[in-house]
């Protein structure tokens, strides 16, 4: 049985379509977990963590390489990339802990944080 690797999560199904198309054009099968749920009710995206872009674990390295070439990284309110204070990389993404039951039920109350994809440090703006 094949196992899956989640490349990323996206707030809306439309946000993932370009990446999905690129990966499939490179011969990598792509699966969108929770796609149908969000197509029927997009307002619950934050509650379920968005649509998850998944590939087979055996395709993970090739898929990650392609994904990292075309992905959008987090930017501030002025359109500038978020810079990691630890390693100075400009490769961060929005990150939510959702550790408490309150934030799982009401994720829109959680303060936005950023996770550096280079050193894995989590920071606040």
């Amino acid at each position: 049985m094949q196992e899956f690797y989640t490349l990323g999560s996206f707030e809306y199904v439309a946000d993932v379509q370009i990446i999905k198309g690129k990966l499939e054009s490179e011969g990598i099968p792509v699966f969108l977990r929770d796609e149908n749920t969000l197509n029927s009710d997009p307002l619950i995206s934050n509650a379920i963590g968005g649509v998850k872009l998944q590939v087979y674990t055996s395709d993970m390295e090739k898929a990650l390489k392609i994904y990292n070439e075309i992905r959008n990284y987090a930017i501030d309110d002025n359109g500038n990339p978020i810079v990691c204070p630890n390693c100075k990389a400009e490769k961060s993404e929005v990150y939510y802990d959702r550790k408490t039951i309150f934030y799982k039920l009401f994720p829109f109350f959680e303060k936005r944080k950023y996770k550096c994809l280079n050193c894995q440090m989590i920071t606040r703006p």
Side-chain angles (χ1 to χ4, degrees), residues 28-48:
I28 299 172
V30 175
F31 306 90
L32 300 179
R33 188 168 151 214
D34 296 326
E35 174 185 23
N36 292 332
T37 305
L38 292 179
N39 278 335
S40 61
D41 189 358
L43 297 177
I44 65 168
S45 182
N46 283 336
I48 65 171

Side-chain angles (χ1 to χ4, degrees), residues 9-16 38 42 44-46 49-51 112:
S9 296
F10 301 83
E11 188 171 1
Y12 301 108
V13 175
D15 296 343
V16 74
L38 292 179
I44 65 168
S45 182
N46 283 336
V51 60
R112 180 177 287 181

Side-chain angles (χ1 to χ4, degrees), residues 73-83 90 114:
Y73 296 103
I75 56 173
D76 63 17
D77 293 335
N78 298 320
N80 299 316
I82 300 294
V83 178
E90 295 181 352
Y114 298 99

Side-chain angles (χ1 to χ4, degrees), residues 44-100:
I44 65 168
S45 182
N46 283 336
I48 65 171
V51 60
K52 289 85 170 168
L53 174 67
Q54 296 183 321
V55 297
Y56 288 125
T57 305
S58 58
D59 293 326
M60 178 182 67
E61 288 184 29
K62 183 178 178 185
L64 273 171
K65 184 176 183 232
I66 294 166
Y67 178 51
N68 287 331
E69 288 173 0
I70 62 174
R71 75 190 302 172
N72 291 325
Y73 296 103
I75 56 173
D76 63 17
D77 293 335
N78 298 320
N80 299 316
I82 300 294
V83 178
C84 175
N86 184 45
C87 70
K88 307 300 183 221
E90 295 181 352
K91 294 183 176 184
S92 294
E93 65 183 4
V94 176
Y95 176 80
Y96 295 102
D97 289 327
R98 293 191 176 109
K99 288 185 179 179
T100 67

Side-chain angles (χ1 to χ4, degrees), residues 102-114:
F102 179 77
Y103 290 132
K104 288 180 182 178
L105 293 173
F106 307 103
F108 41 85
F109 284 119
E110 186 174 0
K111 300 277 190 229
R112 180 177 287 181
K113 297 180 214 75
Y114 298 99

